[in-house]
Amino acid sequence: MALLVTGCGAVTTQSIYEGLRTQQSLKDAGALQPSEKMGTYDSYEKDRKKLKPQE
């Protein structure tokens, strides 16, 4: 089943990132001091491209 979903392109790096972001929000919902919130996927990609070595 997972192979079929992956083959369709439904599982993307963006969907995985957003899933992790949602999990963090749910985990921090009852915390007295929530951890730092993750940014959007677009900001993550911008930061990631800045860190890549220039070719």
Side-chain angles (χ1 to χ4, degrees):
M1 182 67 176
L3 185 59
L4 289 173
V5 173
T6 305
C8 296
V11 177
T12 63
T13 53
Q14 184 173 3
S15 66
I16 293 170
Y17 182 85
E18 292 299 334
L20 290 171
R21 202 171 139 204
T22 302
Q23 289 267 332
Q24 182 190 30
S25 295
L26 291 173
K27 181 182 77 172
D28 290 343
L32 294 175
Q33 289 193 352
S35 60
E36 184 178 332
K37 291 194 181 262
M38 293 172 71
T40 63
Y41 182 76
D42 293 332
S43 64
Y44 163 75
E45 275 297 311
K46 284 180 188 176
D47 291 341
R48 190 170 161 222
K49 286 180 182 178
K50 285 180 195 175
L51 295 175
K52 281 187 177 179
Q54 298 295 323
E55 294 181 10

